[in-house]
Amino acid sequence: MDTSSVISRLRAAGCVFAEDEAALLVDAAATPAELESLVARRVAGLPLEHLLGWAEFHGLRVRVRPGVFVPRHRTEFLVDVAVSLAPPAPVVLDLCCGSGALGAAFTAAVRPRELHAADVEPAAVACARDNLPGAHVHQGDLYDALPPSLRGRVDVLLANVPYVPSDAVATMPPEARLHEPRAALDGGSDGLDLARRVAAGAPSWLAPGGTVLVESSERQAPVLAGVFTAAGLTPEVHSADELGATVVTGTPKE
């Protein structure tokens, strides 16, 4: 099967970037039979990143296993904001880490003194351990996963929490809703359930002058800023129109 045939099949299946995807699949396949298998599974709706075994994120190739949330390019903005606010040699926490993409991208830009990551999904924890060698990767529900010795020491808290409202999950592309964990997508009735829990716990885990960063939609940002204020954090909303990205940051009030 030549590249043009792959492109035609992908385009017919609705792949918007059929040419780019075809080149990646052709490059990944060692044999014609393997290429046929990859193309058939992509046409059936499997995420490209799960087929390749990696996702491009912030200039890195991040390992992604089946059943693990695929990092979105818009979330690169969260990393950029975090890097701009970070002190030298920070203690960093990647909460709801998924593949560990945020922690890996941050570490490539700013060397942390200590890096912790946590996720509730076992597959994500295993993947993050691959992507974050030398980091402390924990499994559990948000702050419950963390060692008590980390409390009050986190300089940068990255939290790419799910923020899709429950009723809207059914409208997401099949790649996401059928092949990524529901827990990584569903943010509750208004999409901010997990963000509220992150905000509530952040003041006791952040170091003095530390920052928590949470991605949201543009529409949710004013509500999330209010949530941060109620939790004792001073909020700021950051936006990148070209990426369609919105990040709310919070620092503990003096």
Side-chain angles (χ1 to χ4, degrees):
M1 179 168 42
D2 59 22
T3 302
S4 61
S5 298
V6 175
I7 293 171
S8 297
R9 289 176 64 181
L10 294 177
R11 187 177 290 130
C15 298
V16 177
F17 302 105
E19 292 83 358
D20 294 337
E21 292 195 14
L24 290 169
L25 292 174
V26 169
D27 186 59
T31 65
E34 186 177 358
L35 177 59
E36 171 59 36
S37 175
L38 288 172
V39 173
R41 285 184 287 162
R42 181 68 183 118
V43 167
L46 270 71
L48 175 69
E49 295 82 1
H50 288 168
L51 292 173
L52 297 174
W54 56 269
E56 183 181 346
F57 184 79
H58 213 274
L60 304 176
R61 280 194 176 186
V62 177
R63 183 170 181 180
V64 179
R65 300 183 180 194
V68 174
F69 180 80
V70 175
R72 311 311 199 234
H73 284 297
R74 64 175 172 270
T75 309
E76 295 172 349
F77 179 61
L78 189 153
V79 176
D80 291 337
V81 176
V83 168
S84 74
L85 298 175
V91 175
V92 179
L93 171 60
D94 184 356
L95 202 58
C96 298
C97 68
S99 64
L102 274 68
F106 183 93
T107 298
V110 177
R111 184 178 295 277
R113 180 167 75 256
E114 209 174 307
L115 174 60
H116 292 257
D119 201 283
V120 72
E121 294 285 340
V125 170
C127 195
R129 285 177 176 151
D130 289 339
N131 288 315
L132 301 173
H136 307 278
V137 183
H138 315 281
Q139 183 180 338
D141 183 24
L142 295 183
Y143 301 107
D144 290 346
L146 306 178
S149 60
L150 189 59
R151 188 181 294 271
R153 296 199 301 113
V154 177
D155 297 303
V156 178
L157 200 170
L158 312 167
N160 186 23
V161 300
Y163 57 91
V164 177
S166 298
D167 290 347
V169 171
T171 67
M172 296 184 72
E175 293 175 347
R177 58 183 168 82
L178 297 180
H179 299 285
E180 294 178 326
R182 176 87 184 202
L185 305 174
D186 191 340
S189 59
D190 68 349
L192 295 176
D193 282 2
L194 270 291
R196 288 186 179 90
R197 294 177 58 201
V198 169
S204 64
W205 290 90
L206 288 172
T211 304
V212 55
L213 304 94
V214 178
E215 184 176 277
S216 75
S217 69
E218 182 180 12
R219 177 183 55 80
Q220 292 167 325
V223 178
L224 183 54
V227 168
F228 275 29
T229 298
L233 300 163
T234 299
E236 185 174 352
V237 177
H238 310 256
S239 299
D241 293 340
E242 67 277 10
L243 290 172
T246 302
V247 172
V248 181
T249 61
T251 55
K253 296 177 181 176
E254 298 294 335

